[in-house]
Amino acid sequence: KQEVTQIPAALSVPEGENLVLNCSFTDSAIYNLQWFRQDPGKGLTSLLLIQSSQREQTSGRLNASLDKSSGRSTLYIAASQPGDSATYLCAVSDAGGTSYGKLTFGQGTILTVHP
Amino acid sequence: GAGVSQTPSNKVTEKGKYVELRCDPISGHTALYWYRQSLGQGPEFLIYFQGTGAADDSGLPNDRFFAVRPEGSVSTLKIQRTERGDSAVYLCASSWRGTQKAFFGQGTRLTVV
């Protein structure tokens, strides 16, 4: 059974810092990995999707890397801003079977960026 | 609309009652998923539809939970004899062909009192 772990559980940084969020998964047979953002009381917004054959994806100040063989991904946020404060969730889609797209989520990292 | 729509946004019900939660996916998306999120946790998979059929319902916790998608578009999650432990945010997501980027709705917050 796939298990996803995110470290740290919470992170508080001053505005302007570069930061790294970590995600690990136990079964390397995945289709893809996604990073999501969730604001309090809201749904999830997909930030980046990395296919299993890719090593990284970038969008603006966000960069996500994937090392499938070691079961790890990192989300790098450059020049953090107070508006980045949210919960960040990592999720993997397992390969095989019929559940294409079924996601297994980590518990999330609560990020607070203070002015 | 352009996104995934879930109704109601909030639902308070008494223990033992029956509830229905509705999801309108993005038009043209063939894959639809239901997840449940408890406070402080990541979402947990409940059921996956590809078209009209439930391709994977392994996440449904017990036989009080049931979901349908009769015409391959709108889906309804049905919970019978609700229990206080069913209180959570129920999230719906859709994607094209099930392996691409997932788009989530805002969720329905269910509170069983």
Side-chain angles (χ1 to χ4, degrees):
Chain A
K1 179 187 172 186
Q2 179 75 268
E3 292 183 3
V4 180
T5 303
Q6 292 187 244
I7 295 173
L11 183 62
S12 180
V13 300
E15 182 177 6
E17 276 205 5
N18 302 323
L19 55 97
V20 174
L21 307 182
N22 296 291
C23 172
S24 61
F25 46 96
T26 55
D27 187 345
S28 61
I30 63 171
Y31 275 122
N32 58 50
L33 181 146
Q34 294 188 64
W35 282 93
F36 292 87
R37 170 184 173 137
Q38 186 173 33
D39 293 284
K42 303 292 185 183
L44 281 65
T45 300
S46 181
L47 298 173
L48 291 165
L49 182 150
I50 312 176
Q51 301 290 356
S52 61
S53 58
Q54 298 175 321
R55 298 281 297 183
E56 66 177 341
Q57 282 286 335
T58 297
S59 176
R61 294 181 294 107
L62 306 179
N63 176 276
S65 67
L66 173 64
D67 184 343
K68 196 177 78 162
S69 61
S70 69
R72 294 180 183 180
S73 176
T74 61
L75 178 66
Y76 176 83
I77 303 177
S80 57
Q81 303 171 357
D84 295 331
S85 299
T87 297
Y88 290 80
L89 293 154
C90 168
V92 297
S93 172
D94 291 331
T98 58
S99 296
Y100 307 116
K102 167 187 171 183
L103 296 174
T104 302
F105 284 85
Q107 292 191 316
T109 293
I110 302 171
L111 173 65
T112 304
V113 181
H114 47 88
Chain B
V4 178
S5 176
Q6 291 188 246
T7 54
S9 55
N10 282 284
K11 176 72 177 178
V12 180
T13 191
E14 293 181 347
K15 179 175 178 294
K17 298 290 188 182
Y18 168 84
V19 296
E20 290 189 352
L21 311 180
R22 177 186 169 106
C23 173
D24 281 89
I26 293 173
S27 178
H29 281 190
T30 57
L32 185 146
Y33 317 84
W34 284 97
Y35 292 85
R36 179 167 72 172
Q37 186 175 26
S38 300
L39 192 63
Q41 304 294 316
E44 292 181 320
F45 170 78
L46 294 176
I47 188 169
Y48 158 62
F49 289 91
Q50 183 58 253
T52 59
D56 184 347
D57 63 358
S58 63
L60 295 178
N62 52 58
D63 61 7
R64 294 187 297 106
F65 288 74
F66 189 71
V68 296
R69 195 186 185 198
E71 298 178 357
S73 179
V74 171
S75 176
T76 304
L77 178 65
K78 308 180 181 191
I79 310 174
Q80 299 178 324
R81 304 183 303 280
T82 52
E83 300 177 356
R84 293 195 178 86
D86 299 334
S87 296
V89 175
Y90 290 80
L91 295 165
C92 176
S94 70
S95 68
W96 187 65
R97 290 189 177 178
T99 56
Q100 305 303 315
K101 191 173 180 179
F103 294 84
F104 280 77
Q106 298 281 69
T108 293
R109 181 175 299 278
L110 176 66
T111 304
V112 182
V113 297

